[in-house]
Amino acid sequence: MENKENVRSINKIGILTFHCAYNYGAILQCYALQTFLRDNGFNVSIINYRPNYLASKKPQFGIKTIVNRTPIHRFKRYYKYYSNFKNYEIFSHKYFALTKQCETVEEYNTIIKDFDVVIIGSDQVWNKKYNGSDIIWFGGGISNNQHLIAYAVSAGDPNFTEDECAFLTKILNRFTTLSVREEILASNLAPLTNKEITVTLDPTLMISPKVWEKWFVPTDKYIVIYQARQTENVFRIAEQLSLQYGVEIVVLDYYWQSIGSLA
């Protein structure tokens, strides 16, 4: 009972994650965690930290795109995909409880003072390929009187260098609780801390499916393509099935192979 009362005494939770990365997974995992916490009675905001190394990762468009890569009809297809990135912005401003935007460490440090708890994750916030080696994703700037939680974080390659292990050893014990998405990451972090590390679900799988049903629009049958990693076979098989069943192909990834093939 005492622990429950302590949890309920929390006034405000801040979620720090890749909410401004331009992909479906980043957007939906953030929305799912916000929804779960709200449904359980918490006051939640998304910390609107938008460092350039994240917010600038959009398809780059220039004259080389036309000259070297595609004829004009593919340019039109590309432009359609480029415009889809605006939809990410529209979604986040409509459905995220965003704080004031911050791009620098100084601005971030001012904003996080309002929170009793900061949850870092999920997504690949500890992946050096994406996080800019930014200390903020490891709890930088969080004061000792604030709870710091790592929720369902991923690091991509879980094999850390000696320097990275030394760094993680210093910061992991600062977290109130630690959870990750992969067993191998938990195993590699375990020798670096006395804290218990649990493996848990991505928040998109934690909330009720009814949360997603509100965006369901009945439509004709179609084939969806979404490639996390590009392969030549995906579109070839999709085209075969499209001809076999007479259904449209809907592409959700941004690889040139997919875009070009649809022209």
Side-chain angles (χ1 to χ4, degrees), residues 205-217:
L205 302 173
M206 185 172 62
I207 59 176
S208 168
K210 293 182 179 179
V211 171
W212 309 119
E213 289 175 1
K214 64 183 176 184
W215 287 302
F216 173 72
V217 179

Side-chain angles (χ1 to χ4, degrees), residues 6 20 99 131 180:
N6 287 338
C20 63
T99 67
N131 67 14
V180 299

Side-chain angles (χ1 to χ4, degrees), residues 72-247:
I72 191 65
H73 60 286
R74 291 189 181 180
F75 157 73
K76 291 179 180 179
R77 178 61 67 177
Y78 181 91
Y79 184 79
K80 178 181 178 180
Y81 275 77
Y82 183 86
S83 67
N84 283 348
F85 281 83
K86 286 294 181 183
N87 292 331
Y88 290 122
E89 293 290 333
I90 293 170
F91 182 94
S92 63
H93 283 88
K94 183 175 181 180
Y95 294 107
F96 290 169
L98 295 169
T99 67
K100 181 179 178 181
Q101 182 171 319
C102 53
E103 299 176 3
T104 67
V105 173
E106 291 75 20
E107 292 171 340
Y108 167 82
N109 288 340
T110 299
I111 286 174
I112 61 170
K113 292 178 181 178
D114 293 336
F115 297 102
D116 303 297
V117 177
V118 174
I119 299 176
I120 297 178
S122 63
D123 219 335
Q124 298 193 50
V125 290
W126 288 356
N127 189 333
K128 58 186 176 184
K129 181 179 178 181
Y130 304 118
N131 67 14
S133 299
D134 191 339
I135 187 65
I136 283 177
W137 302 109
F138 297 91
I142 306 297
S143 68
N144 289 330
N145 61 355
Q146 293 173 297
H147 290 287
L148 182 59
I149 294 173
Y151 177 73
V153 301
S154 177
D157 181 2
N159 299 308
F160 303 110
T161 66
E162 184 176 340
D163 287 343
E164 288 168 343
C165 287
F167 167 74
L168 289 168
T169 298
K170 291 180 180 178
I171 63 96
L172 289 178
N173 286 332
R174 171 66 184 84
F175 285 82
T176 305
T177 60
L178 288 165
S179 68
V180 299
R181 292 197 312 199
E182 298 94 12
E183 294 278 358
I184 189 171
L185 178 57
S187 297
N188 287 8
L189 291 177
L192 307 179
T193 179
N194 295 324
K195 294 280 185 178
E196 179 182 3
I197 302 173
T198 58
V199 178
T200 190
L201 289 173
D202 184 274
T204 55
L205 302 173
M206 185 172 62
I207 59 176
S208 168
K210 293 182 179 179
V211 171
W212 309 119
E213 289 175 1
K214 64 183 176 184
W215 287 302
F216 173 72
V217 179
T219 185
D220 294 333
K221 294 180 179 180
Y222 53 89
I223 297 171
V224 173
I225 292 179
Y226 183 79
Q227 299 180 86
R229 294 172 180 81
Q230 185 177 15
T231 65
E232 294 182 357
N233 289 327
V234 170
F235 206 90
R236 176 182 59 79
I237 295 171
E239 285 184 317
Q240 291 174 352
L241 293 173
S242 176
L243 291 172
Q244 181 179 350
Y245 295 104
V247 295

Side-chain angles (χ1 to χ4, degrees), residues 24 37 39 46 49 51 63 68 110 136 145 150 160 171 239:
Y24 296 102
L37 292 169
D39 288 350
I46 309 300
Y49 181 51
I63 191 65
N68 294 341
T110 299
I136 283 177
N145 61 355
F160 303 110
I171 63 96
E239 285 184 317

